[in-house]
Amino acid sequence: MTDILLHNLDPVISDRLRRVAETRGWSLQRTALHLIETGLFAVEAEMAGRFEDHDSRALREAIEALEGIPSDPGFAMIGRAEPKDAPVRRAAGPDLSGLELLEEFRPDRDG
């Protein structure tokens, strides 16, 4: 493993590094290595979410091409038009429509 030497480290950074080491019970070297690795992973993850220039250009061109498609009453309404046989919206609350089925199981109150 390569040794890491940090010269002219800002006192605030040095203090923060020392506090993390003390809190974790680690040496300064282990703490510095952990923080460098963690920071690299975070930066690499951030970079992975970005498009390369040629991908950005291709996406931009595709969006521009789609924006240039003229609207028509059919294609443009896909996913936006209400279906002709749309279900009727019911009022909020419990569904009591099946209660009449319980009548046949009700005990005879006349006898």
Side-chain angles (χ1 to χ4, degrees), residues 58-97:
L59 179 60
R60 187 173 44 250
E61 290 169 2
I63 291 171
E64 288 171 1
L66 289 172
E67 288 173 341
I69 296 174
S71 288
D72 65 71
F75 182 75
M77 294 304 293
I78 291 176
R80 296 184 188 159
E82 289 292 324
K84 291 181 181 178
D85 298 324
V88 177
R89 294 189 185 259
R90 298 189 339 215
D95 180 9
L96 303 176
S97 62

Side-chain angles (χ1 to χ4, degrees), residues 15 26-27 32 41 43 46 52-54 58 65 80 85 92-93 110:
D15 186 55
W26 295 344
S27 67
F41 287 135
V43 170
E46 180 183 294
E52 297 291 327
D53 287 341
H54 65 278
R80 296 184 188 159
D85 298 324
D110 296 334

Side-chain angles (χ1 to χ4, degrees), residues 36-52:
I36 289 170
E37 287 175 348
T38 304
L40 283 172
F41 287 135
V43 170
E44 288 171 339
E46 180 183 294
M47 291 170 49
R50 296 183 181 163
F51 287 125
E52 297 291 327

